[in-house]
Amino acid sequence: MIDWLEIKQFVIADHIELEFERSFTTVTGETGSGKSLIVDAIGILLGHRSDNSYIRHNHNTAELQASFDLPPGHPCLHWLAQHGMANDNECLLRRVIRRDKSSKGYINGHAATVSQLRDLGKDIVDIHGQNEHHSLLKKPVQQMLLDGAADNIERVAELSDCCHAINNIQKQIDQLNDQSQAAQERTDLLKFQIEELNELAPEADEWLSLENKHKRLNHQQELSAGAHTVAKILHQSEDHNLSSQLIQCGLQLERLSQFDDSLKSIAKMIDEAEVNIEEAANQLRPFYQDNEIDPEEVEKIETRFSLYQTLARKHRLLPQLLVDHLDTMKRELAGLKDPQRELGRLNDLLETESETYQGMATKISANRNKSARYLASEVTTLMQELGMKGGRFDIRLIPIETGSYTQFGNENVEFVVAANPGQPLQSLTKVASGGELSRISLGIQVVLANKTQAPTLIFDEVDVGIGGEVANVVGQKLKQLGKSNQVICITHLSQVAAKGDHHFSVSKQGPNQRLHQGSRQGHDQVEAKVVKLNAEQRVAEIARMTAGEKITKQALAQAQEMLKSA
């Protein structure tokens, strides 16, 4: 559950700190007061998309932070441990939105990517948005809702990967079957190019060695003269070579060290330098002695070097890549030489993938059938309570043509409804009015909420389009959910708000109001405020929601009665 939420410089909020309780919490306020910024803030903490439009005017960053208390054994605790982010049963999420840079996310103080926040967040909070009844008309959304209830989401993702693999294999088979004269021409070209490269017979790392030898041969005289000159300076010159001069320096320091022992270490360093100089001079000797050039070796290196360059230019490659290029052409030729063999391999692979696909698709279908019956029964029951007496809800699983492979399985999903008794079941798009669609959507969300493993459920104005006794039923259902989960509901209905165990009110204050209340000078922005209401304040808020700004004694009495009955 959410323990607390902190919002800084976010939309029209300057600084808001909220502490949440278990059970059912309602959030109310006038239209445009900023009620949904609480949901937006939590959503962004859970990895939803953010941009700099969320940053409060005249500020460069917005900061969101929330603490979640996870029950023992919750899958998110395992996720945190796996990623080295565990902190007992607490999960602290933080996100900083920056105006000119990407946002930064943190999980229990550890830097986290947006995908990590999203992966973790899906099992912490389940958010039901106010526009879900519109998306309910879309077939992919219907399929996703059913698969969510059937625990099929990961299976469908694996099935989609398998479907892509089957399509790729089939594409390769089709390409092989369509080979014609172009394939034969390609075969002839590959044979010629392979034969040409086989004459060179390039070896791994040979080019680098050949290039070094070629460079040395072309600069042999310069290498010999230069090495001889350096060797004479170091050791071989009879007059003024470095070696003899260092020896003299060493002897001088050794004599002086009888007056100061610290000179002994310096003398030792000079002795070591003299040894190194002598060794360097010895290693330079082969560069100018016994370095007669073998004409045959020179010709062999020149010929091979030239052939490497010629073939590299011809194939438009760097010389060192000719080895890999030859292997690639041989593999391609092998496939072209024996297409039947390759076709056999691909068909075997296709058969294996197809069996895997059918196994997964069959399991997905079984789960869908089971969950479809459950959802249809539960939603139909709720429809009776939501003012749709005699209405029916069902889910059709429409088989797809045998032998077809789709990324969603063996059937299409369609939600159908009969809004009134005696009417046939038809697609939602054909029979449901706006109000009916809102109630059906709400019924589905309530049923799905009973199956979620997320300890916190948030409903953002999902009660749009309903009222009267139906609103009472909605409030009762949400209150019932609050007995097993933490439920937070942003609502505009007094009947729902009255059912809450806890109540927050959101209001929007202008600069004049804050100046009157002693706020700092020069701050002229509108600001959202959130207050947790006590018993007396709840009566006034429920009365406002019922009667409007002009609250009468009758409205207050009615509000008290609603709270009492709740």
Side-chain angles (χ1 to χ4, degrees), residues 422-475:
Q423 290 183 340
L425 290 166
Q426 296 187 62
S427 173
L428 280 179
T429 56
K430 293 181 179 179
V431 297
S433 66
E436 290 167 342
L437 190 61
S438 296
R439 282 175 277 174
I440 294 168
S441 174
L442 183 61
I444 293 172
Q445 292 178 56
V446 169
V447 173
L448 292 179
N450 280 312
K451 295 176 66 66
T452 184
Q453 60 183 351
T456 298
L457 307 172
I458 297 178
F459 294 87
D460 182 14
E461 295 195 17
V462 295
D463 47 18
V464 171
I466 63 174
E469 182 55 33
V470 174
N472 273 322
V473 174
V474 172

Side-chain angles (χ1 to χ4, degrees), residues 222-238:
E222 187 178 347
L223 281 169
S224 178
H228 195 198
T229 299
V230 173
K232 287 196 294 184
I233 294 171
L234 294 178
H235 188 69
Q236 295 178 358
S237 176
E238 293 183 1

Side-chain angles (χ1 to χ4, degrees), residues 198 271 349 452 503 560:
N198 278 335
D271 288 343
L349 187 58
T452 184
H503 193 156
Q560 286 176 329

Side-chain angles (χ1 to χ4, degrees), residues 69-226:
D69 182 30
L70 302 173
H74 193 274
C76 286
L77 293 175
H78 177 66
W79 189 97
L80 290 169
Q82 268 191 325
H83 291 78
M85 298 178 180
N87 183 26
D88 295 327
N89 285 354
E90 183 186 26
C91 177
L92 181 65
L93 301 184
R94 178 169 168 254
R95 196 157 173 196
V96 180
I97 307 170
R98 302 181 292 180
R99 191 169 295 282
D100 299 320
K101 299 178 183 178
S102 59
S103 67
K104 297 172 72 175
Y106 302 89
I107 300 174
N108 281 338
H110 301 272
T113 63
V114 172
S115 62
Q116 285 178 316
L117 290 170
R118 191 181 302 119
D119 192 30
L120 177 66
K122 70 182 186 321
D123 292 327
I124 296 180
V125 178
D126 195 359
I127 298 178
H128 299 266
Q130 57 185 303
N131 295 317
E132 287 191 16
H133 61 287
H134 295 301
S135 63
L136 191 60
L137 297 174
K138 300 175 183 177
K139 297 291 177 65
V141 173
Q142 296 175 8
Q143 177 256 319
M144 184 182 66
L145 286 171
L146 177 59
D147 282 331
D151 294 328
N152 271 344
I153 297 298
E154 290 186 7
R155 290 189 182 93
V156 172
E158 292 173 2
L159 186 78
S160 178
D161 291 340
C162 186
C163 179
H164 287 310
I166 288 172
N167 290 336
N168 286 334
I169 295 168
Q170 188 61 57
K171 184 178 179 181
Q172 294 178 60
I173 291 173
D174 293 342
Q175 287 175 342
L176 281 175
N177 285 329
D178 289 341
Q179 282 183 355
S180 59
Q181 184 61 34
Q184 186 58 50
E185 291 175 0
R186 179 64 179 163
T187 299
D188 294 341
L189 176 62
L190 286 171
K191 284 182 178 179
F192 172 77
Q193 291 180 330
I194 289 170
E195 183 179 353
E196 197 174 41
L197 281 176
N198 278 335
E199 289 182 10
L200 173 65
E203 299 176 2
D205 299 326
E206 180 192 11
W207 169 253
L208 294 178
S209 173
L210 187 65
E211 191 177 30
N212 285 333
K213 289 179 181 178
H214 184 265
K215 193 184 298 181
R216 180 170 178 175
L217 286 173
N218 283 342
H219 298 84
Q220 183 65 36
Q221 290 184 346
E222 187 178 347
L223 281 169
S224 178

